[in-house]
Amino acid sequence: RRVLFRSGVANGAGDGLRSGAQFNYVSGVTIDPKGNLFVADSRARTIRRITPTGSVSTFAGHAAGLASLDGHFTWLPLTDGMGQDARIAPAAGSLTVATNGTLLFSDGFGETIRKSTPDGAVTTLVHPGTYGPMAADHLGNIYLSDRYQCIRKITPTRSVQVFAGSPDQPGCKTGIGAAARLAPQGVAVDSRSEEHTSELQSRFGIS
């Protein structure tokens, strides 16, 4: 095990090269096909990009996306926009990169799914919901672990479906579709576009 990157200065939101950059609270990391890392900096309300050479930049959101009123901070509304003009609140651990380079992330405490094109255009994909970690297949489908004990699927036409398990029916049971009982904590898609979910005590593959 080795450290790939570590900020050498106090917590913050400053961009820079390697240890010259600052992070506030890293809550998730993913990588794109070009080797760029995307980091959810939840407390700074940003997504940062780290190039293979170690250059850190703010890819989406802005650390000034909160306002102070009589010394008390309040979050500004979530809005779509280009790069740092967007206002985001990435949820912990909930971001992935699709095969076409589109960044997908859960926003607003997991209640909204946002996407960003490779050039940084942030738009809202679906809302509301209770979404956790996600993964995408090569057909453009998105699979999400839902806090209500199921896996949901978002199709390229933005149709949201229950893919496996049944909402509010926890358990640990193999089965087809709604017959399965899950407590999903994460999700991944393999090269055959078969979805896998990790649970607190068990792991099932659902094809």
Side-chain angles (χ1 to χ4, degrees):
R1 185 179 66 177
R2 63 193 180 99
V3 177
L4 296 177
F5 189 92
R6 180 174 62 189
S7 175
V9 291
N11 290 353
D15 294 334
L17 184 64
R18 298 189 179 93
S19 60
Q22 296 171 294
F23 293 89
N24 197 310
Y25 184 79
V26 173
S27 61
V29 179
T30 191
I31 190 168
D32 73 5
K34 296 181 179 180
N36 297 298
L37 291 174
F38 290 89
V39 178
D41 196 344
S42 294
R43 290 179 183 170
R45 294 192 59 161
T46 59
I47 291 177
R48 318 287 290 283
R49 177 169 57 190
I50 306 175
T51 68
T53 61
S55 177
V56 180
S57 60
T58 300
F59 180 73
H62 196 284
L66 49 89
S68 177
L69 181 64
D70 296 329
H72 298 284
F73 285 98
T74 180
W75 300 119
L76 296 180
L78 304 182
T79 58
D80 294 339
M82 192 72 188
Q84 296 187 37
D85 290 333
R87 294 294 175 262
I88 67 176
S94 302
L95 74 167
T96 191
V97 176
T99 54
N100 64 358
T102 297
L103 177 69
L104 305 161
F105 60 99
S106 181
D107 208 358
F109 303 102
E111 296 176 353
T112 302
I113 301 300
R114 315 281 292 280
K115 70 175 183 177
S116 178
T117 59
D119 61 354
V122 177
T123 56
T124 299
L125 189 62
V126 295
H127 65 85
T130 52
Y131 308 118
M134 69 187 74
D137 67 17
H138 71 283
L139 299 176
N141 298 299
I142 305 167
Y143 300 89
L144 309 106
S145 61
D146 192 296
R147 290 194 292 269
Y148 286 99
Q149 292 83 42
C150 66
I151 299 294
R152 296 188 187 271
K153 174 181 176 180
I154 303 176
T155 69
T157 61
R158 302 190 181 187
S159 173
V160 181
Q161 309 164 359
V162 175
F163 180 71
S166 184
D168 286 325
Q169 296 293 320
C172 187
K173 174 185 175 183
T174 58
I176 302 298
R181 291 293 177 264
L182 309 171
Q185 301 296 304
V187 64
V189 176
D190 66 18
S191 60
R192 297 177 298 173
S193 290
E194 293 186 346
E195 179 270 334
H196 300 268
T197 178
S198 63
E199 303 192 82
L200 288 175
Q201 297 179 333
S202 301
R203 178 173 179 170
F204 300 108
I206 306 165
S207 60

